[in-house]
Amino acid sequence: MKQFKEEVALLLEKYLGDAMSPEEIREAIEVPKYAEKGDVAFPCFKLAKSMRKNPALIAKELAETIEDERFDVVCENAYLNFFVKKERFARIVVSTILEEGEYYGASDIGKDKTMLVEYSSANISKELHFGHIRGIMIGSALYKLSKFLGYNAVAINHLGDYGINFGKIITAYKHWGDDKDIEERGVRALLDLYVKFEKFSKRDEKYMEEARQWFHKLEVENDQEAYDLWSWFKKISLEEYNRVYAMLGAEFDSFDGEAFYSDKMPAVHKELEEKNLLFYEDGMELIDLSDYNLTNVIVTTSAGTSLYITRDIACAIYRKNHYDFYQNVYVVGSEQRLHFQQLRAILHKMGHEWWERCIHVDHGLIMLKDGKLSSREGGVIFLEDVIKMALQKTLELIDQKNPNLEDKEVVAKQVGLGAIAYKELSTSRIKDYIFDWDEALSFEGETGPYLQYANVRAHSLLERGDVALRDIDYSLLTEEASVLLIRELSSFDEVLESALEKFEPAILSRYLMSIAKLFNKFYQQVSVITEDKEATKAKLALVKATSQVLENGMKLINMEAPKKM
Ligand code: ARG
């Protein structure tokens, strides 16, 4: 629709003369929600002052004078509604999609700009549980979207690989660890050790004391044994995480986590001191944030150690120097809102003008419908197990509905994971919500499988039609269902931009759903393959274009597109 909006803008510039500036015209232009109100609309209210006339009258007069073969212009009250001529609309939209194929929708608005998307940021030695899926899905989608829009996108997993937890886990390992068990069961074994530590340290102080000593060895003394164990636990954790990330289609360019910043702390400390930003209380160092209406922040403990936020200050500065980012996006749950407000305030106080480009993209919680996010002994449901269950459930469904389907396992994976991805990414990110398997896997309603199935229908039509999509007569696409579909397809580029601008993948997911719905209507109302060869070809071109947009979009929200299901 961008192209048509620009055409209307240029046309109005010509007719309005000095009455409105080119920028004002572009700002005022709208895309009406309903097709009967036109494809592009222009409200005349603003003109009333400079033209000294009633806006409805201005609209009426303009509608009468504007003459252009590309549009029909109609006035409705104070609005000018522009209808793109049907044949031209269909030709431009469909042929552009067919020409650009998998690059349709891509752009270069992000050219020469680095977009950092930090997400997942898991705490090593701990499991990825089901609750983590939200951040993974949102982050991964925003990363893919940034790339598609031409940004130099960098996905960062800011690993939680620093802190007293590692003292605890080493202590537990020294008491009860079993190498073979850890090699075999990975994070599950580490988690058991952790749980055991918590149990024992409640009864006896000595365990906590040992944990502190191990942490000190690790962070301050550069002790080889402590370091080797930490590295091993990290390796074990990353093996599991990478397995899960691969299943979900999540990628990372960097795993620089909290420990990476430990040697960058003295410089931060020096900067804070030089800029006179520290005050002292009970042996601690703090920053006063009362000007920002935020609670003060401790940056150094009385033991002289840094904290989570101190490492984040170092990290932001490092990222600016190293990547010179345009935006530095943190996809992290909304429970850390205060933390990121404080971080931004501190960066502002330090005089870093780029503080505003550090953005907390927060999201709500997810729960399973049967409420079981945790299982035995305070343990939790592993994300990997949930994914496997999704595949199992989907396979059972396929066995019932379409038992002779080829490559059932592959399709089950695409559909099962697609169901999760769609469910995650169609809910506004800020909302908490309850995940229900039966709902997510259903073919009815707004679900991943519904979206995939629309595309499968498109493919089966294309297979049946089997004609080369050349020399198409676009004037044959006149049915209302076709016109509405074309109109919706034309907004893909703007939808992508707005989804990234608002860091809201749901904008794209819901758009794809509306395409799928319009396509299903088209499928029911229009006979695609008929005796009429030319009409068949034109309709198949639209089918192909629809499928292309669905597939380009699904890829960005971490969904695969099976050709049969
Ligand atoms: N590892 C942290 C947690 O699980 C999240 C890290 C968020 N990112 C950051 N730069 N602080 O709570």
Side-chain angles (χ1 to χ4, degrees):
M1 201 61 89
K2 247 183 172 177
Q3 174 186 346
F4 304 108
K5 277 161 80 178
E6 185 55 22
E7 286 171 0
V8 168
L10 290 171
L11 192 62
L12 286 166
E13 274 184 40
K14 200 171 91 187
Y15 280 89
L16 293 179
D18 292 336
M20 224 170 152
S21 74
E23 294 77 38
E24 283 174 324
I25 293 177
R26 279 165 186 78
E27 248 168 59
I29 283 177
E30 299 171 6
V31 174
K33 191 161 177 214
Y34 300 104
E36 61 267 25
K37 305 269 178 205
D39 301 312
V40 178
F42 179 75
C44 297
F45 304 107
K46 267 232 166 114
L47 289 168
K49 210 165 162 202
S50 57
M51 293 179 126
R52 292 166 190 278
K53 252 187 238 169
N54 169 326
L57 187 63
I58 300 175
K60 185 166 173 281
E61 287 175 4
L62 280 170
E64 280 161 13
T65 29
I66 295 179
E67 238 175 84
D68 193 283
E69 62 193 17
R70 298 168 298 176
F71 301 99
D72 291 318
V73 189
V74 177
C75 73
E76 189 185 350
N77 302 324
Y79 277 82
L80 273 178
N81 296 336
F82 294 79
F83 293 83
V84 186
K85 292 266 171 65
K86 282 201 176 105
E87 187 273 340
R88 181 168 180 267
F89 204 10
R91 177 162 45 81
I92 292 179
V93 174
V94 177
S95 71
T96 310
I97 298 173
L98 297 187
E99 261 160 44
E100 295 183 1
E102 61 178 314
Y103 299 105
Y104 180 70
S107 94
D108 59 2
I109 54 164
K111 194 167 171 278
D112 298 328
K113 289 183 189 146
T114 297
M115 177 75 82
L116 304 184
V117 183
E118 185 213 292
Y119 70 101
S120 191
S121 302
N123 295 329
I124 61 163
S125 297
K126 292 213 175 158
E127 77 300 330
L128 282 179
H129 59 72
F130 188 56
H132 285 124
I133 197 173
R134 198 91 191 261
I136 298 176
M137 283 291 173
I138 295 169
S140 164
L142 293 177
Y143 172 57
K144 289 172 184 164
L145 198 51
S146 314
K147 264 194 181 170
F148 201 58
L149 296 185
Y151 288 88
N152 169 30
V154 183
I156 304 176
N157 196 324
H158 183 76
L159 289 179
D161 52 3
Y162 193 99
I164 187 70
N165 274 351
F166 296 93
K168 292 184 185 175
I169 208 109
I170 294 175
T171 304
Y173 171 77
K174 295 298 281 184
H175 283 280
W176 313 290
D178 171 354
D179 290 15
K180 200 165 149 267
D181 184 40
I182 296 177
E183 286 295 351
E184 274 171 23
R185 292 196 307 128
V187 175
R188 288 159 211 256
L190 294 178
L191 195 67
D192 286 347
L193 281 175
Y194 190 81
V195 171
K196 202 158 177 181
F197 175 91
E198 292 294 330
K199 208 158 101 192
F200 277 75
S201 68
K202 262 188 211 121
R203 290 186 216 141
D204 191 341
E205 258 296 288
K206 87 170 194 208
Y207 292 98
M208 199 53 214
E209 190 41 45
E210 277 178 41
R212 269 187 221 108
Q213 280 165 11
W214 275 112
F215 179 48
H216 196 261
K217 279 188 186 175
L218 182 65
E219 307 300 349
V220 187
E221 298 168 39
N222 288 325
D223 179 271
Q224 191 62 40
E225 186 186 5
Y227 178 78
D228 289 346
L229 284 172
W230 174 84
S231 306
W232 183 40
F233 297 155
K234 181 161 166 175
K235 180 173 149 276
I236 298 258
S237 308
L238 276 178
E239 274 165 15
E240 171 173 325
Y241 300 169
N242 283 327
R243 221 166 43 232
V244 174
Y245 294 145
M247 286 194 255
L248 296 174
E251 289 164 22
F252 294 96
D253 303 299
S254 160
F255 284 91
D256 288 342
E258 291 187 47
F260 178 78
Y261 298 99
S262 59
D263 66 352
K264 296 165 184 63
M265 233 62 84
V268 172
H269 189 256
K270 195 160 155 245
E271 188 181 336
L272 290 170
E273 223 164 27
E274 279 171 6
K275 291 183 174 167
N276 245 328
L277 299 178
L278 297 175
F279 74 94
Y280 306 88
E281 214 173 77
D282 304 328
M284 301 181 294
E285 293 177 330
L286 295 91
I287 301 179
D288 178 359
L289 294 181
S290 51
D291 290 353
Y292 301 82
N293 259 329
L294 296 169
T295 42
N296 295 339
V297 167
I298 305 172
V299 285
T300 317
T301 66
S302 53
T305 51
S306 67
L307 285 158
Y308 179 53
I309 187 130
T310 334
R311 295 188 283 280
D312 258 329
I313 304 170
C315 165
I317 294 172
Y318 171 85
R319 286 182 186 170
K320 181 65 192 156
N321 294 336
H322 187 73
Y323 297 105
D324 193 21
F325 56 75
Y326 165 69
Q327 283 177 327
N328 172 25
V329 167
Y330 301 86
V331 179
V332 180
S334 40
E335 69 282 359
Q336 293 198 29
R337 199 173 283 161
L338 175 63
H339 171 80
F340 286 103
Q341 283 171 343
Q342 288 170 324
L343 176 62
R344 280 158 57 96
I346 292 169
L347 293 171
H348 179 255
K349 216 168 169 162
M350 290 172 93
H352 295 302
E353 36 72 36
W354 43 267
W355 69 274
E356 250 181 319
R357 285 185 273 133
C358 295
I359 300 160
H360 178 203
V361 170
D362 50 357
H363 58 79
L365 288 174
I366 167 173
M367 283 154 284
L368 280 173
K369 194 185 178 195
D370 51 16
K372 275 196 307 188
L373 254 194
S374 51
S375 61
R376 57 190 175 105
E377 296 124 40
V380 279
I381 295 199
F382 281 64
L383 182 49
E384 195 172 8
D385 294 342
V386 179
I387 295 172
K388 284 185 183 152
M389 189 172 87
L391 306 190
Q392 190 52 41
K393 274 188 186 253
T394 317
L395 199 56
E396 282 163 21
L397 219 69
I398 294 177
D399 278 330
Q400 283 166 24
K401 290 198 171 184
N402 194 357
N404 301 321
L405 184 70
E406 278 172 50
D407 294 326
K408 267 194 280 189
E409 264 85 30
V410 178
V411 178
K413 189 169 159 243
Q414 295 173 321
V415 175
L417 293 174
I420 301 181
Y422 186 81
K423 191 69 209 161
E424 285 299 327
L425 293 177
S426 58
T427 313
S428 303
R429 66 176 153 80
I430 208 66
K431 280 201 191 137
D432 292 342
Y433 84 95
I434 292 174
F435 190 91
D436 173 356
W437 276 112
D438 299 326
E439 192 193 306
L441 281 177
S442 160
F443 280 58
E444 326 265 291
E446 307 196 342
T447 65
Y450 179 92
L451 209 56
Q452 288 169 322
Y453 193 65
N455 186 51
V456 164
R457 276 183 162 169
H459 277 283
S460 83
L461 281 172
L462 290 166
E463 206 173 277
R464 269 199 284 142
D466 192 30
V467 284
L469 301 175
R470 251 180 279 121
D471 304 321
I472 293 152
D473 180 355
Y474 289 102
S475 69
L476 299 170
L477 292 174
T478 48
E479 310 80 3
E480 204 203 353
S482 307
V483 175
L484 290 178
L485 185 54
I486 291 163
R487 185 179 188 269
E488 192 73 356
L489 289 173
S490 77
S491 308
F492 189 49
D493 49 2
E494 284 177 292
V495 165
L496 296 180
E497 282 175 31
S498 136
L500 186 62
E501 197 188 297
K502 301 193 173 86
F503 303 111
E504 184 62 275
I507 294 177
L508 173 56
S509 313
R510 291 188 204 134
Y511 167 79
L512 295 174
M513 184 53 65
S514 96
I515 296 277
K517 284 183 179 169
L518 287 170
F519 177 72
N520 281 340
K521 257 206 194 115
F522 164 89
Y523 185 86
Q524 281 153 12
Q525 293 173 3
V526 177
S527 319
V528 176
I529 300 172
T530 59
E531 295 290 288
D532 183 342
K533 276 224 169 79
E534 287 307 310
T536 303
K537 206 163 66 177
K539 285 168 194 160
L540 283 174
L542 177 55
V543 171
K544 171 83 187 137
T546 307
S547 156
Q548 189 73 60
V549 169
L550 285 175
E551 288 181 13
N552 291 8
M554 281 197 264
K555 210 187 257 173
L556 298 173
I557 53 166
N558 311 316
M559 284 181 70
E560 289 192 61
K563 296 228 173 3
K564 291 205 163 84
M565 63 191 262

